[in-house]
């Protein structure tokens, strides 16, 4: 990668940020397409966000990813927010369009494209979503309009019910939300076609944990776990063992990154190159085999 006076800079801001896989996937994509772009990370504390956005303007940084804890807080410092990011109340991508900072959210479209590109049919299907946190909300906003029936279970039941009402208001579709319990999960799973884990359960270092018992899974189910560390979560292992279709968390990561790339570069992202970069890194770190 040759840095010149014309090189465009993209970056991610968050705290912590050292673990981010985004530099890896975007620099691999820039290199592959021989684009004069570079991607770096900046650790920005909560109280430094306003200054950081001023810096983005002054330094004419071309594109920005935004991660915890700034996804909502950044909105007030931007010039324009696209409709989806506004509805969700969270931004993960910013484009600097000749000085105008425009906010987007690509997490949900990442999940949608991960399912579609892994041949998971959504039309006419019943989807059960576990979780009602930041990622779950974004995913729900993109998937609810696509499926026949949408149900949400969350440890904090109030959040599941609030998310269900939010989806009903936006899509005039029947959505049910309730408190996560083993009995309700087992019951709702019986006639679900697609199961998505959007909780952090199963994430390193608690990789032996799962909310779903193996005997509740069926071969006809499609199971996506958005946790990507480890690559093969216990839920994914169990789903594979019963013969269910599985979609890895890295797929969502790849497709949300691809959507950000396309916003900044205005051309299709080299998805395969981005996927390879992530898998190589996870293998080297012993997170995938
Ligand atoms: N693949 C990707 O591209 C991608 C993108 C974003 C996030 N992620 C992953 O998705 C996970 C969630 O991220 P987030 O940003 O949505 O976090 P978040 O906003 O903090 O939400 C966490 C969710 O997990 C639930 N939860 C946590 N511990 C639980 C437990 N012991 N039992 C049951 N539920 C539990 C929470 O329930 P309560 O509401 O009751 O607390 C909440 O629904 C993380 O592992 C993150 O790394 C992956």
């Amino acid at each position: 990668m040759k840095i010149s006076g014309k090189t465009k800079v993209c970056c991610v801001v968050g705290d912590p940020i050292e673990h981010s896989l985004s530099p890896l996937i975007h620099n691999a994509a820039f290199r592959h397409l021989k684009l004069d772009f570079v991607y770096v990370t900046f650790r920005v504390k909560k109280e430094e966000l306003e200054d950081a956005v001023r810096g983005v303007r002054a330094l004419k940084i071309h594109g920005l990813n935004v991660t915890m804890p700034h996804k909502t807080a950044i909105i007030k410092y931007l010039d324009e927010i696209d409709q989806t990011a506004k509805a969700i109340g969270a931004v993960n991508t910013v484009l600097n369009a000749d000085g105008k900072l425009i906010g987007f959210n690509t997490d949900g479209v990442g999940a949608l494209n991960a399912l579609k590109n892994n041949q998971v049919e959504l039309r006419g299907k019943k989807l059960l979503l576990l979780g009602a946190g930041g990622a779950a909300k974004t995913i729900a906003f993109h998937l609810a309009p696509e499926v026949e029936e949408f149900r949400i279970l969350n440890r904090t039941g109030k959040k599941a019910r609030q998310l269900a009402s939010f989806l009903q208001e936006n899509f005039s579709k029947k959505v049910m939300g309730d408190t996560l319990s083993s009995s309700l999960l087992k019951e709702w799973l019986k006639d679900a076609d697609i199961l998505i884990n959007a909780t952090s359960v199963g994430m390193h270092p608690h990789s032996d944990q799962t909310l779903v018992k193996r005997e509740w899974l069926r071969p006809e189910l499609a199971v996506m776990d958005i946790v990507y560390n480890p690559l093969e979560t216990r839920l994914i292992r169990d789903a594979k063992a019963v013969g269910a279709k599985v979609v890895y968390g890295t797929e969502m990561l790849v497709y949300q990154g691809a959507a950000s790339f396309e916003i900044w570069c205005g051309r299709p992202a080299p998805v395969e190159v981005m996927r390879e970069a992530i898998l190589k890194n996870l293998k080297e770190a012993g997170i995938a085999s």
Side-chain angles (χ1 to χ4, degrees):
M1 182 173 290
K2 223 165 83 189
I3 308 287
S4 75
K6 291 189 210 143
T7 304
K8 288 190 177 172
V9 179
C10 293
C11 67
V12 55
V13 295
D15 183 24
I17 202 64
E18 293 77 7
H19 65 284
S20 175
L21 294 175
S22 296
L24 202 82
I25 60 177
H26 288 293
N27 285 322
F30 297 153
R31 264 196 307 272
H32 179 77
L33 294 175
K34 299 190 173 52
L35 297 179
D36 195 6
F37 279 64
V38 67
Y39 190 105
V40 292
T41 62
F42 290 119
R43 184 171 181 190
V44 173
K45 292 191 201 136
K46 259 186 184 169
E47 61 277 17
E48 295 170 330
L49 182 62
E50 187 174 3
D51 283 346
V53 177
R54 219 176 278 139
V56 166
R57 292 182 193 277
L59 300 173
K60 307 197 175 35
I61 286 175
H62 179 71
L64 204 67
N65 275 141
V66 185
T67 187
M68 299 301 284
H70 305 309
K71 285 188 173 184
T72 299
I74 198 164
I75 289 177
K76 59 179 173 291
Y77 304 122
L78 303 178
D79 303 312
E80 211 175 293
I81 311 292
D82 98 321
Q83 268 188 342
T84 308
K86 196 180 277 175
I88 300 162
V91 159
N92 81 332
T93 302
V94 177
L95 172 69
N96 187 347
D98 296 322
K100 187 199 260 187
L101 299 189
I102 311 169
F104 302 85
N105 195 311
T106 66
D107 280 334
V109 85
L112 180 63
N113 287 336
L115 291 168
K116 285 188 172 168
N117 287 299
N118 282 278
Q119 288 74 48
V120 176
E121 179 61 44
L122 296 166
R123 296 267 161 229
K125 301 294 180 188
K126 295 177 180 173
L127 191 151
L128 174 56
L129 178 72
L130 306 180
K137 187 173 182 187
T138 320
I139 291 172
F141 193 80
H142 278 82
L143 298 191
E146 304 278 333
V147 294
E148 178 71 30
E149 191 187 292
F150 201 96
R151 291 183 177 190
I152 305 155
L153 288 171
N154 191 50
R155 180 177 60 179
T156 309
K158 190 177 165 200
K159 279 166 67 181
R161 287 185 286 275
Q162 278 171 348
L163 180 53
S165 321
F166 168 80
L167 295 171
Q168 276 187 193
E169 277 162 28
N170 276 279
F171 304 114
S172 41
K173 175 165 285 193
K174 194 166 185 302
V175 183
M176 286 165 70
D178 214 328
T179 309
L180 175 69
S181 68
S182 290
S183 53
L184 203 51
L185 173 50
K186 184 180 173 194
E187 191 55 34
W188 282 11
L189 205 46
K190 275 183 191 155
D191 62 352
D193 302 299
I194 304 165
L195 169 71
I196 299 180
N197 175 46
T199 75
S200 45
V201 175
M203 194 167 117
H204 175 80
H206 306 291
S207 39
D208 58 328
Q209 293 181 358
T210 176
L211 295 169
V212 188
K213 290 215 169 89
R214 184 188 286 194
E215 56 266 31
W216 301 344
L217 298 167
R218 294 172 278 112
E220 314 79 54
L221 259 181
V223 179
M224 176 158 93
D225 195 339
I226 75 162
V227 171
Y228 58 83
N229 179 5
L231 174 69
E232 197 144 294
T233 58
R234 168 127 179 241
L235 173 62
I236 291 287
R237 277 204 313 275
D238 288 346
K240 276 170 95 174
V242 303
K245 184 171 194 60
V246 299
V247 181
Y248 293 92
T250 43
E251 287 294 286
M252 174 173 161
L253 198 64
V254 167
Y255 284 104
Q256 65 78 27
S260 298
F261 178 98
E262 286 167 11
I263 288 169
W264 300 325
C265 302
R267 59 192 293 173
V271 170
E272 199 50 53
V273 170
M274 295 168 113
R275 181 184 290 113
E276 264 172 36
I278 289 183
L279 294 179
K280 184 168 177 274
N281 177 273
L282 294 182
K283 275 179 194 153
E284 281 167 6
I287 290 167
S289 50

